[in-house]
Amino acid sequence: MDNLSIKKSGLAALALGAIGVVYGDIGTSPLYTMQVIFSESTGVPLTQANILGAVSAIFWLLTLVVTFKYVLLVLRAHNKGEGGVMALLALALSTLRTQDKRARGLLLLGVLGAALFYGDSVLTPAISVLSAVEGLQVVSPALAAQVLPIAIGILIGLFWFQRHGTHAVGRFFGPIVIVWFLALASVGIWQISQVPDVLHAIHPQYAWQFLQSRGGAMFIAIGAILLAVTGAEALYADMGHFGRRAIQLAWLGLVFPCLALNYLGQGALLLQHPEAASNPFYLSFPQPLLIPAVVLATLATIIASQAVISGAFSMTRQAIQLGFLPRMRIIHTSASEPGQIYIPAVNWALLIAVIIVCLAFQSSSALASAYGIAVTGTMLITTILIFFVMRQRWQFPGWVAWPLISMLALMDSVLFGSASMKFMQGGWFPIVLSGVLIVLMTTWKKGRHLLLAGMVNTDPKLMPLIANLVDSKLPRVQRTAVYMVSNLESVPQALLHNLKHNQVLHQRNLFVHVKFEDVPLLNTQERVRVQKMADGFWQVELHYGFMQHVDVPQALLQLRLDSETQNGQLLDPFTCSYFLSRDIIVPDVGGNMPRWRDQLFLVLSRNASSAVEYFNIPANSVIELGSRVQI
């Protein structure tokens, strides 16, 4: 097999993987979109013109938002192959100067985008699984009371299974999504064959007439139609797992045609049987296939939920490493794929939130009101951030960038405004959740900044102390002391306590600082930077991308402590002692943050994961020494 054939087969395999993971969310939208459009809450009459107009609006929204904006434009904005709002934020910030006032605004936008994504991570499992299980009501109305308990049971099982890793879930359920899309297309073609006139809906005039005829109620109708593009952000967020070309191939080659055929098929059903508006998706299937359709839909929604849950894990790790969240325990579930992680605290917090949402809203139709704001808000933020990339990084001329971004921003603003019409019916939920998360993230970011600034101002400088220690008569221990520090210029408290209480020095003393760059991945060759300060003392910087796992002992194995000799002195991991400072934070009266934020930062600090786990340091090699720090 030649290289071209190998590349083609590899691309095909990645495209199949993208179908199973990336498109699970948007692929389950047909379960509820048409049902919500013609529900009582929107007030859209079931007429032939409205049915054709709604299908046409869905088709062109998929074309403009997903195909044009995300597949053809946004996927180009990769940060060393990685996507997602945090990666795009880092890419946009890299185009600005350090003191540019716009950087602060972009930073807040990125935090808001991340917070809205967490809202999406709560709502997607709830609405997807509920909408699938609601098919039982179509099979037998007597089963209506069992829908909520069954859905919650499935969700508990899904979140419990997360600890086995994304690969295990995807391997088991991934092929089901491909069968799901083929089923969508098949039932769509069957319905279209009975009412071919529905194909007229492909013409954009039907979408325009439908929206124009709504008048002021147009926003309510758009708020329902936008449910067809929920999950579009996943195309970008999961780019690092499958690559741009594979995601594009999967969308254009299978997913888009199957979705379009299914929506056209539901429209054909409603033209022939308007009474099917109560659940046009399930009523599209022949009666004998209803139960298999419910089972298949449930399996498809599980993998759709899996995609957004794993996305929340990745988003959390990026936020931690960019300094917006405290350390959390991160478990790697794959030896070969560093991106496959499991964060227990996030997993169980999401499960509790999802169960509360299910119990509060009771049905997928009620949840649809809350769903749109989180999705469209993230879309609008992506458009704003991509503008900076287009102008500053890609060097698009103004006459190209401004009209293009203006069109996309107008479209996203209309979608967001439409979703906001449902604020009192549930749209408040993602806004309140995002507000809480923004407070947490900005409090942690500012608190850490104040903490480190205070340490720089109060702690003695390192170089003068080293100069005194070199000439001192302190006994030397034949081991290596590794001091983990947040600032290489100041004396770590752990060293001061070690000198005060033990009155000894180690033969080799390393001051190690871990720094995360604004890129997702760094090569191993770029990891370690070392500078000799004096005999027996070295400053070491370990550099990581914001999507990489920190392993300090592994990184130090590359270290050569004496660059003046040809081979250098390799570090022996069995003779290392790691000294960590455990900061006891004391809020200062009249500090830079309000009292309530001081207390919140204190709570976050106390519940942060141990640095031992985060830096992957062997517990039996660690010595922790406490110090009081004011903020």
Side-chain angles (χ1 to χ4, degrees), residues 544-592:
Y544 290 87
F546 61 75
M547 290 193 70
Q548 290 180 305
H549 174 60
V550 181
D551 190 330
V552 170
Q554 181 66 33
L556 292 182
L557 290 178
Q558 305 176 42
L559 195 62
R560 294 185 180 275
L561 297 182
D562 190 357
S563 58
E564 295 176 2
T565 62
Q566 185 175 359
N567 296 321
Q569 182 181 6
L570 289 173
L571 192 66
D572 183 359
F574 296 102
T575 63
C576 288
S577 297
Y578 292 84
F579 289 85
L580 303 180
S581 298
R582 178 171 288 275
D583 299 327
I584 302 170
I585 300 170
V586 182
D588 190 12
V589 178
N592 290 289

Side-chain angles (χ1 to χ4, degrees), residues 13 24 45 47 99 105 137 142 169 209 234 243 245 275 292 381 386 415 420 439 469 471 509 526 573 575 592 623 625:
T47 65
Q99 302 300 323
Q137 299 176 89
V169 180
Q209 291 171 358
R245 292 186 61 197
E275 68 277 7
I381 289 169
I386 197 101
L415 293 175
S420 300
V439 169
L469 290 176
D471 299 328
N509 297 272
E526 304 174 81
T575 63
N592 290 289
I623 301 161
L625 300 168

Side-chain angles (χ1 to χ4, degrees), residues 73-241:
L73 179 64
V74 175
L75 286 181
R76 291 187 59 200
H78 63 87
N79 194 338
K80 291 196 173 181
E82 297 293 339
V85 68
M86 279 293 183
L88 183 59
L89 171 65
L91 201 62
L93 287 173
S94 69
T95 66
L96 302 178
R97 296 185 181 90
T98 307
Q99 302 300 323
D100 196 319
K101 294 180 180 179
R102 294 175 295 177
R104 180 177 175 82
L106 289 183
L107 202 61
L108 291 175
L109 272 180
V111 172
L112 176 58
L116 288 171
F117 186 85
Y118 283 115
D120 193 9
S121 302
V122 172
L123 293 170
T124 293
I127 193 172
S128 299
V129 174
L130 267 176
S131 61
V133 180
E134 282 169 354
L136 293 174
Q137 299 176 89
V138 180
V139 176
S140 173
L143 295 173
Q146 306 302 318
V147 168
L148 193 59
I150 292 173
I152 291 176
I154 291 172
L155 288 165
I156 291 173
L158 171 64
F159 280 92
W160 176 83
F161 201 61
Q162 292 300 314
R163 61 195 180 95
H164 296 290
T166 307
H167 178 69
V169 180
R171 181 178 57 187
F172 187 76
F173 291 113
I176 300 296
V177 181
I178 298 173
V179 177
W180 167 256
F181 279 115
L182 295 177
L184 291 181
S186 300
V187 73
I189 292 171
W190 180 59
Q191 291 292 345
I192 292 168
S193 66
Q194 299 178 54
V195 190
D197 287 348
V198 75
L199 292 174
H200 291 302
I202 295 176
H203 198 292
Q205 72 174 9
Y206 288 93
W208 172 252
Q209 291 171 358
F210 170 73
L211 296 175
Q212 189 181 40
S213 65
R214 304 269 69 76
M218 175 190 71
F219 284 94
I220 297 176
I222 293 177
I225 292 168
L226 68 84
L227 294 173
V229 296
T230 56
E233 194 71 26
L235 278 69
Y236 184 46
D238 288 323
M239 182 167 58
H241 296 287

Side-chain angles (χ1 to χ4, degrees), residues 431-483:
I431 298 298
V432 170
L433 179 61
S434 298
V436 171
L437 290 171
I438 288 171
V439 169
L440 290 175
M441 295 169 80
T442 55
T443 297
W444 180 256
K445 182 78 170 178
K446 186 171 183 180
R448 287 295 298 173
H449 173 75
L450 294 173
L451 182 66
L452 296 178
M455 293 170 64
V456 169
N457 293 331
T458 57
D459 290 348
K461 298 301 181 184
L462 183 58
M463 281 303 297
L465 178 66
I466 297 300
N468 290 330
L469 290 176
V470 169
D471 299 328
S472 70
K473 302 297 184 181
L474 287 171
R476 296 266 184 154
V477 180
Q478 298 301 306
R479 288 181 62 84
T480 300
V482 179
Y483 295 95

Side-chain angles (χ1 to χ4, degrees), residues 64-79:
L64 292 174
V65 172
V66 184
T67 307
F68 177 71
K69 176 184 172 181
Y70 279 95
V71 173
L72 298 181
L73 179 64
V74 175
L75 286 181
R76 291 187 59 200
H78 63 87
N79 194 338

